[in-house]
Amino acid sequence: MKFCKIGIMIAILTAALTGCESESSNNSAISDDIYTESGYPIFKDGSDVSISFFAPLRPKVSTYDSSINPTTAHMESKIGFNMEFVECNEFERQQKFNIMMTGGDYTDVILEAHNSLSELALYGQQGIFIPLEDLIKEHAPNIQAVLDSHPEVTDTWTLENGHLYTIPRIGNSTHSEVPYRMWLNKKWLDNLDLEVPTTTEEFFNVLLAFKEKDANGNGDPNDEVPLSGAMTTGWNINPIPFLANAFIPCAPISDYLNVDENGTVYYAKATNEWKEFLKYMNRLYEAGVIDPLMLSQTDDQVQKLGSHPAGTILGATAGGSVSVFTNTTNFDTWTQYIVLPPLEGPAGVRSAARNPDYGQATLSITNKCPYPEAVIRWADYMFTEEALIWSQFGQIGNARIQLAPDDSLNIIGGPAKYTRLPADNAQDVCWNRVGPDYRPPDYDLWFTAKENPVEDIEKVLYESAVNHYLPCVPEISSLMPKVEFSLEESRTVIDALTNINLYVDQITAEFITGIKDVDSGWNDYLNMLDKNGLQEYLAVNQTAYDRN
């Protein structure tokens, strides 16, 4: 969780200080006569309605235009209004959103801005985002039922003033709650007659053996890379969350803020347990088992490392799935790897970094929208299985999904509904899940298992989560939740978090590589955290947590 996205928050603060003209919505001028009473289409025959959406492009999606994207064409035909998209790529999202909002030329609907609670509160106070709770109660039974069954999501996104300014995306794959995995080359373990490590010490010894004993068996004892990853980019490809949880339970989603049994907020990276973790990482580095490029390389470079043309040279890496280090169709490569269960550290800690589903802020309606009821009714359709399949995969029978043959079984041996197809070359066949929707708890069981279970990555992810990672997650109450900050508190958070993260990223690399000694430099490290605003940052979070 990121409490504040810096670029967006700066734009909001500017708008709050300079004032933002709040257009009066012309909702009252719209006659109820144009709406159908229920179901779809939403508008009566003869209506020609267009609604504008801000929507960053998802991977494998070049446009949402209905002339190219079949999911948009389906939605328009189903719901009965035209969808006009203001598009941008993901890297431009914050900048484009900032410019649009501060300039006042914003769309009827905002999709995928991933606004924080503070941002929603500020836009709501200015009248730019309209409250949604009454619209949901009146027009969205699917959304209301899901919110009622997920009170933690409802509580998270309902602000202190009682209003809900976003419809969150709710529900993930089972393995998404524990996405910080370590992948270990089981073939190399077998080559060296080694057991799967269960402790940080055993993991160290395995990596050392990978380095010294020609683990890939090609006759060259020097071409193996025991442990790699990327600390700056990629899908959970940074090994730190996995390894740190053998020393102290913590999670990136809470910015490494924990809550102790007394309700006190503290920073995991300022604890003695984190100090011991850094010493362990330095030990790995000094032994030559950490790829030096891990501190600076990109996820693309890890892909090349994991798909080396001369053969397998990678021993272990972190990642949300095998796709971070090789193509999912490269069975001969990725099936050499297993998901390593959480390790036990020297003090007996064994934990898995948790990613609780608080929901994601994926839809807000602005005061420029003349048809809020229509948007809510469309969003309610998005909370159906049919719409989820259309959004995530596209039309059944395309290059990504088809109906499961009779008697097909899912990954736990039950009946399956759909068969997923390799999506590596599927372009512009769907939305790739943009906007709000709902994945129910049995979502992973909708799909057929592959005939060869060894080649079924979804089965691997599901079973590793259920059998090894989820039993080790910390209680949600021990992680700092999403909280709403006041304008002044937001300023403090922005300044402190920016400075703290920049400093910690730099000093962590220096501790790992030995440029700075962890023991002798620890007190200076703590002092510098305070100089960069840690105590003020903790105080603001404590106040917001107590108020929550």
Side-chain angles (χ1 to χ4, degrees):
M1 166 181 55
K2 294 294 182 185
F3 297 122
C4 295
K5 301 177 181 70
I6 304 305
I8 293 178
M9 282 304 302
I10 290 173
I12 293 174
L13 297 177
T14 301
L17 293 173
T18 60
C20 181
E21 182 180 354
S22 178
E23 288 198 10
S24 176
S25 174
N26 59 351
N27 299 344
S28 60
I30 303 301
S31 171
D32 290 341
D33 291 341
I34 68 172
Y35 291 117
T36 58
E37 291 186 5
S38 62
Y40 305 97
I42 294 170
F43 292 99
K44 294 179 179 178
D45 290 343
S47 301
D48 185 14
V49 173
S50 294
I51 298 176
S52 60
F53 296 77
F54 170 80
L57 295 170
R58 300 283 293 152
K60 303 291 185 180
V61 178
S62 69
T63 183
Y64 299 113
D65 188 281
S66 60
S67 65
I68 296 174
N69 195 301
T71 294
T72 307
H74 164 75
M75 292 293 173
E76 290 183 341
S77 174
K78 176 83 174 183
I79 61 184
F81 62 75
N82 300 317
M83 306 182 80
E84 298 178 349
F85 289 93
V86 173
E87 302 172 350
C88 64
N89 64 45
E90 178 60 25
F91 299 106
E92 300 172 323
R93 175 176 58 84
Q94 290 189 5
Q95 180 184 18
K96 295 283 189 181
F97 178 79
N98 294 347
I99 292 172
M100 182 178 68
M101 299 306 289
T102 56
D105 188 22
Y106 43 83
T107 53
D108 298 326
V109 183
I110 306 296
L111 297 181
E112 298 288 334
H114 298 301
N115 296 120
S116 70
L117 288 165
S118 302
E119 295 161 4
L120 292 171
L122 286 167
Y123 284 132
Q125 290 166 7
Q126 296 173 34
I128 296 175
F129 288 173
I130 67 172
L132 304 179
E133 64 277 0
D134 290 339
L135 285 166
I136 292 171
K137 289 178 182 177
E138 187 173 354
H139 302 294
N142 295 325
I143 297 174
Q144 188 64 60
V146 173
L147 290 175
D148 289 344
S149 64
H150 291 75
E152 72 285 356
V153 176
T154 306
D155 291 346
T156 293
W157 296 105
T158 301
L159 303 185
E160 289 182 27
N161 63 7
H163 289 317
L164 188 71
Y165 293 107
T166 186
I167 297 176
R169 177 188 297 142
I170 304 171
N172 282 310
S173 298
T174 300
H175 61 76
S176 296
E177 188 165 348
V178 281
Y180 300 96
R181 302 174 186 86
M182 181 67 70
W183 299 87
L184 183 67
N185 195 310
K186 181 63 164 58
K187 184 176 181 180
W188 287 14
L189 289 178
D190 295 341
N191 288 347
L192 301 179
D193 197 25
L194 297 172
E195 299 294 325
V196 176
T198 61
T199 68
T200 52
E201 185 65 22
E202 292 174 1
F203 186 59
F204 171 82
N205 291 329
V206 163
L207 296 178
L208 198 60
F210 284 177
K211 175 180 181 289
E212 297 176 345
K213 298 183 178 181
D214 189 24
N216 59 14
N218 67 354
D220 182 357
N222 299 311
D223 68 343
E224 287 84 359
V225 179
L227 175 63
S228 193
M231 292 178 63
T232 56
T233 63
W235 179 21
N236 303 329
I237 199 169
N238 185 351
I240 282 181
F242 175 86
L243 292 173
N245 269 270
F247 294 82
I248 181 172
C250 55
I253 193 173
S254 62
D255 281 330
Y256 293 90
L257 290 180
N258 289 351
V259 181
D260 69 16
E261 61 276 9
N262 298 315
T264 301
V265 179
Y266 67 96
Y267 186 46
K269 293 185 179 183
T271 62
N272 287 331
E273 291 86 352
W274 192 263
K275 176 184 176 182
E276 294 305 311
F277 159 67
L278 291 174
K279 290 167 67 174
Y280 176 75
M281 293 295 289
N282 173 249
R283 183 182 174 208
L284 296 180
Y285 189 88
E286 292 294 333
V289 299
I290 287 182
D291 182 0
L293 295 178
M294 186 180 79
L295 303 172
S296 58
Q297 69 185 350
T298 66
D299 51 335
D300 289 338
Q301 290 170 294
V302 177
Q303 271 271 347
K304 292 177 181 178
L305 184 67
S307 305
H308 200 276
T312 305
I313 63 171
L314 178 62
T317 188
S321 183
V322 296
S323 59
V324 303
F325 61 91
T326 190
N327 195 299
T328 56
T329 58
N330 268 348
F331 299 123
D332 291 341
T333 298
W334 78 256
T335 52
Q336 295 183 30
Y337 295 83
I338 60 170
V339 181
L340 181 64
L343 299 172
E344 180 179 324
V349 174
R350 177 183 279 121
S351 180
R354 189 172 192 175
N355 208 13
D357 183 21
Y358 298 114
Q360 295 178 307
T362 53
L363 182 150
S364 293
I365 302 177
T366 74
N367 57 4
K368 290 190 176 183
C369 180
Y371 310 104
E373 177 184 323
V375 174
I376 290 294
R377 288 173 62 181
W378 163 72
D380 198 54
Y381 171 63
M382 294 297 290
F383 272 58
T384 66
E385 181 176 325
E386 176 184 282
L388 175 61
I389 293 297
W390 267 102
S391 175
Q392 184 170 349
F393 300 101
Q395 185 172 15
I396 294 174
N398 67 7
R400 292 197 63 181
I401 193 168
Q402 62 187 21
L403 290 175
D406 292 341
D407 301 324
S408 295
L409 301 180
N410 60 30
I411 53 179
I412 64 170
K417 300 180 183 180
Y418 309 103
T419 297
R420 281 181 286 210
L421 304 175
D424 296 318
N425 299 314
Q427 181 78 17
D428 289 328
V429 299
C430 63
W431 283 353
N432 205 356
R433 205 181 181 202
V434 72
D437 61 38
Y438 174 56
R439 282 180 174 175
D442 66 343
Y443 168 81
D444 288 320
L445 308 182
W446 291 358
F447 306 99
T448 56
K450 293 189 176 179
E451 291 185 11
N452 183 356
V454 176
E455 296 182 353
D456 195 333
I457 185 59
E458 294 299 328
K459 182 178 177 67
V460 171
L461 295 174
Y462 180 86
E463 291 185 343
S464 67
V466 171
N467 296 332
H468 300 297
Y469 280 63
L470 287 172
C472 293
V473 295
E475 294 293 329
I476 291 181
S477 60
S478 69
L479 302 175
M480 181 70 182
K482 294 178 183 287
V483 291
E484 178 184 346
F485 295 116
S486 68
L487 180 61
E488 190 60 37
E489 289 169 341
S490 295
R491 289 191 178 100
T492 300
V493 169
I494 291 170
D495 293 340
L497 193 58
T498 302
N499 294 334
I500 290 169
N501 285 342
L502 287 172
Y503 172 66
V504 169
D505 288 347
Q506 174 188 339
I507 196 67
T508 297
E510 292 177 352
F511 280 147
I512 291 174
T513 59
I515 293 175
K516 289 188 181 296
D517 179 74
V518 179
D519 280 321
S520 62
W522 188 250
N523 287 336
D524 288 341
Y525 166 71
L526 296 179
N527 290 333
M528 282 300 297
L529 285 177
D530 287 346
K531 288 182 180 179
N532 280 288
L534 177 61
Q535 297 309 315
E536 293 81 1
Y537 176 64
L538 289 174
V540 166
N541 277 279
Q542 186 71 60
T543 299
Y545 175 82
D546 293 341
R547 189 174 60 223
N548 196 36

